[in-house]
Amino acid sequence: MNPENISIKRPELEGVVSLERGLSFEFRSGASVLTLRPVSLGGFSEAEAMMKKFRRHASVDGLSSSVETMAVIPFGIEPEIRRNIEFAANHAKVITDISMKGGMPVKNIALDDIKIDGEVKRVGIIPVNTGLESLPQVEWHDAGTGEQVFYHDADPFLICLVEMVDGGIWEVGAGDDLWRWNCGSKYNAGTEFKIFGDAKGIKIIRNVYVKKEESLPPQRGLRFKWYFAWSVKDNAPDAQPGSGSYLDLMDMEMPEEGKVMLDEDKFSAAPCFEANALRKRFRSMIRSLAGGATESAGFTMVNVEPHICLAAAHLDRGKKRLLLHWDILNIMDQWLWANRLLLKSGSNLRFYATGKDIQSLPSIYGMKNVFEQEDSE
């Protein structure tokens, strides 16, 4: 294999991370292609920077793999851009770190823009709305022959869905750190999030810093989390209530500090996976299941759904009361952790959501499936 290429193979996805013509990320599912564009700091691009790290890692059990890159822009304070993309099931978690050191005056910071090429049927948007017991409904828009704008705001979207004519769906979502995507205001700068395109392709623009006259350059490291997912074929049986392998997340006794905060002093009955209280109880349950699991045992957990939450305590930010976040990345983390533990006894855990719109999200839909292990070579 070309040492300047890293190949990625997941269910229904093939990807290449390449240095042949500067750093590039390209992922194909069905007849469509998602291209991740490198970070741009004003006129300086990660694509042409000096690469210090370019590695692929794979877990021994084959349940996950990751790509790690680090680029240094050889100008001025020499900012560093680090990225880690972790693949599991049919989703990829992305962490992008930008080290600005002593500050670097730039006109804008374009973070991980995306281009999706193929025959597009429609585009769906889920906004960031607080105070709801479940996620907001998808707002669908048909793709036309002429370019149109599907979303344009200073605030980030929660999820963008791009449905292709062949039935495949790409999902691009913000990470748990919703507050960070508005970091421009901290430096008296603007932000811009835009989704636009037509029936031949869609572009997603994420400008997390747009300089104004009174703006200050970022003085410290910036970290952003997000994810993308793609649709896969279903191999999941219907959940069977009453069986010994059937678990209901809502039956788990949870103190208030483990629940979703909808508004100040107003809590949902649903737990937040970002809360330590939830994770401790969840992991204790899975360890107990793993201890008594038999070969090929399969466990089902229902009512596993992501939520938008305001409890700063869930993020160990004790000095704050409210801090906007949501828990889909931690749901992915706990699904992977549980299946990694259960795999040792030949068993597995499937997550099921209940809401129709939530069930149809590729990221959530994928976690009720059990995938063949990836070749770790």
Side-chain angles (χ1 to χ4, degrees):
M1 186 180 77
N2 188 325
E4 294 189 336
N5 286 343
I6 294 176
S7 296
I8 299 294
K9 291 187 178 181
R10 300 300 307 173
E12 308 295 326
L13 181 89
E14 292 189 356
V16 176
V17 183
S18 176
L19 292 177
E20 289 183 347
R21 294 179 296 277
L23 182 62
S24 64
F25 305 83
E26 187 174 287
F27 305 97
R28 177 178 294 275
S29 181
S32 58
V33 176
L34 181 148
T35 302
L36 168 61
R37 294 181 172 179
V39 170
S40 173
L41 303 177
F44 303 96
S45 172
E46 176 191 12
E48 285 79 39
M50 294 173 55
M51 295 303 301
K52 296 293 186 180
K53 289 184 181 179
F54 185 70
R55 303 172 181 167
R56 178 185 185 273
H57 306 275
S59 62
V60 174
D61 56 27
L63 289 178
S64 66
S65 61
S66 64
V67 175
E68 179 187 12
T69 64
M70 186 181 82
V72 178
I73 296 176
F75 177 82
I77 62 170
E78 296 191 339
E80 294 179 354
I81 302 168
R82 296 173 179 261
R83 183 182 287 99
N84 184 275
I85 308 177
E86 183 183 36
F87 299 86
N90 65 317
H91 60 252
K93 292 170 42 190
V94 185
I95 299 177
T96 302
D97 289 292
I98 305 173
S99 175
M100 304 292 284
K101 299 180 181 178
M104 179 178 178
V106 294
K107 291 184 177 181
N108 76 296
I109 299 176
L111 185 104
D112 294 351
D113 291 345
I114 287 173
K115 181 166 68 96
I116 297 175
D117 293 308
E119 296 184 47
V120 181
K121 179 181 179 181
R122 57 180 183 167
V123 175
I125 308 294
I126 299 181
V128 178
N129 289 343
T130 60
L132 302 177
E133 290 284 349
S134 189
L135 292 186
Q137 288 189 332
V138 181
E139 302 169 359
W140 286 105
H141 310 272
D142 291 336
T145 54
E147 183 174 287
Q148 58 182 308
V149 176
F150 304 101
Y151 185 90
H152 194 190
D153 205 289
D155 292 321
F157 56 89
L158 191 69
I159 293 174
C160 172
L161 299 170
V162 180
E163 182 177 348
M164 314 307 292
V165 172
D166 66 5
I169 299 176
W170 290 100
E171 175 184 350
V172 177
D176 55 283
D177 54 344
L178 293 175
W179 75 94
R180 286 196 182 117
W181 291 88
N182 280 319
C183 74
S185 60
K186 181 179 179 180
Y187 303 103
N188 296 320
T191 52
E192 180 188 32
F193 300 89
K194 186 176 180 181
I195 302 168
F196 62 100
D198 56 27
K200 294 182 180 179
I202 301 297
K203 292 181 181 179
I204 299 174
I205 304 298
R206 294 180 283 192
N207 284 319
V208 295
Y209 178 95
V210 180
K211 189 180 184 306
K212 300 178 181 178
E213 185 176 347
E214 66 275 17
S215 297
L216 300 172
Q219 296 292 320
R220 52 180 296 181
L222 302 175
R223 164 169 283 191
F224 299 92
K225 301 178 186 178
W226 61 281
Y227 74 93
F228 66 93
W230 56 96
S231 52
V232 289
K233 296 181 178 66
D234 193 358
N235 67 18
D238 293 334
Q240 298 295 324
S243 69
S245 61
Y246 181 91
L247 308 165
D248 191 334
L249 183 66
M250 297 299 288
D251 288 341
M252 188 182 299
E253 292 187 10
M254 188 61 51
E256 190 173 84
E257 59 264 27
K259 295 180 180 179
V260 173
M261 180 186 284
L262 302 175
D263 204 344
E264 191 159 10
D265 298 322
K266 181 182 178 182
F267 292 85
S268 168
C272 175
F273 269 79
E274 287 294 326
N276 284 329
L278 179 280
R279 292 199 299 272
K280 286 179 180 179
R281 284 164 170 77
F282 174 82
R283 292 198 170 198
S284 177
M285 176 188 294
I286 299 304
R287 288 190 183 100
S288 178
L289 293 176
T294 58
E295 184 72 23
S296 300
F299 299 97
T300 294
M301 180 169 281
V302 298
N303 284 317
V304 184
E305 299 183 1
H307 294 84
I308 297 173
C309 180
L310 292 171
H314 294 173
L315 305 163
D316 296 323
R317 302 292 183 99
K319 294 182 180 180
K320 294 180 179 288
R321 172 68 175 163
L322 306 178
L323 197 59
L324 184 66
H325 62 277
W326 75 312
D327 59 355
I328 192 165
L329 295 189
N330 222 302
I331 290 175
M332 294 174 181
D333 287 344
Q334 301 314 310
W335 178 90
L336 180 58
W337 178 87
N339 278 289
R340 181 156 285 151
L341 183 65
L342 291 167
L343 181 63
K344 296 175 182 178
S345 60
S347 53
N348 57 66
L349 175 67
R350 301 173 187 263
F351 279 173
Y352 287 74
T354 52
K356 184 177 179 182
D357 271 3
I358 297 175
Q359 286 184 58
S360 65
L361 296 177
S363 59
I364 300 300
Y365 184 89
M367 285 185 281
K368 71 176 182 177
N369 293 269
V370 175
F371 301 100
E372 293 183 4
Q373 297 174 42
E374 185 187 53
D375 186 351
S376 59
E377 292 183 2

